[in-house]
Amino acid sequence: MIGRLNHVAIVVPDLEAAARTYRDTLGARVSAPVDLPAHGVTTVFVELDNTKIELLHPLGATSPIAKFLAEHPAGGMHHVCYEVDDILAARDRLRASGARVLGDGEPKTGAHGKPVLFLHPKDFLGTLVELEQT
Ligand code: CO
């Protein structure tokens, strides 16, 4: 059901420093910071040959990743995103297997303008999983 790894998201305390680490130390292509007010994050996209890394920093007072950063002040891996062909079919199959879909279960428009859903980390080995319909 899941296809390619679309991205790995890492929450960071200092976006400039994180971008430097990926650009200068690891030699990757990194974007300028992009504010996504609808998602409460500022992100730097790291483009790899086979996938992306998204460096995330809270934006605004009600950012959904503020608590994560408070609990992981040095930063940490936040979620992995897998591509699916049909997000509603994927949701229904996952629910039928007992997996919990976060929120109201209706796909939202993600950072790339495509429908996304998040799955409960306790059902997936302690890892928050995002599904993106591509
Ligand atoms: Co994501």
Side-chain angles (χ1 to χ4, degrees):
M1 180 175 65
I2 62 169
R4 294 164 62 92
L5 174 67
N6 186 275
H7 61 271
V8 175
I10 301 173
V11 171
V12 302
D14 181 334
L15 208 46
E16 279 300 312
R20 276 199 307 276
T21 296
Y22 268 85
R23 186 186 57 230
D24 300 340
T25 307
L26 293 171
R29 297 187 300 276
V30 307
S31 76
V34 179
D35 287 343
L36 299 171
H39 297 278
V41 299
T42 303
T43 183
V44 165
F45 296 98
V46 180
E47 295 285 341
L48 305 179
D49 286 346
N50 62 340
T51 191
K52 296 185 284 284
I53 307 295
E54 293 182 5
L55 305 174
L56 303 177
H57 188 77
L59 174 67
T62 58
S63 172
I65 61 170
K67 180 165 172 273
F68 183 92
L69 187 57
E71 291 171 353
H72 305 85
M77 203 198 82
H78 186 260
H79 64 267
V80 294
C81 177
Y82 302 119
E83 298 180 357
V84 294
D85 291 331
D86 182 335
I87 201 162
L88 294 177
R91 176 196 65 188
D92 294 345
R93 174 173 160 174
L94 285 159
R95 278 183 167 163
S97 73
R100 288 166 284 182
V101 177
L102 299 187
D104 63 6
E106 293 308 312
K108 303 262 188 301
T109 301
H112 313 111
K114 294 177 175 160
V116 303
L117 283 172
F118 285 90
L119 308 177
H120 200 296
K122 286 189 176 153
D123 296 332
F124 294 96
L125 313 166
T127 304
L128 179 62
V129 173
E130 180 180 19
L131 299 179
E132 180 173 301
Q133 180 172 293
T134 54

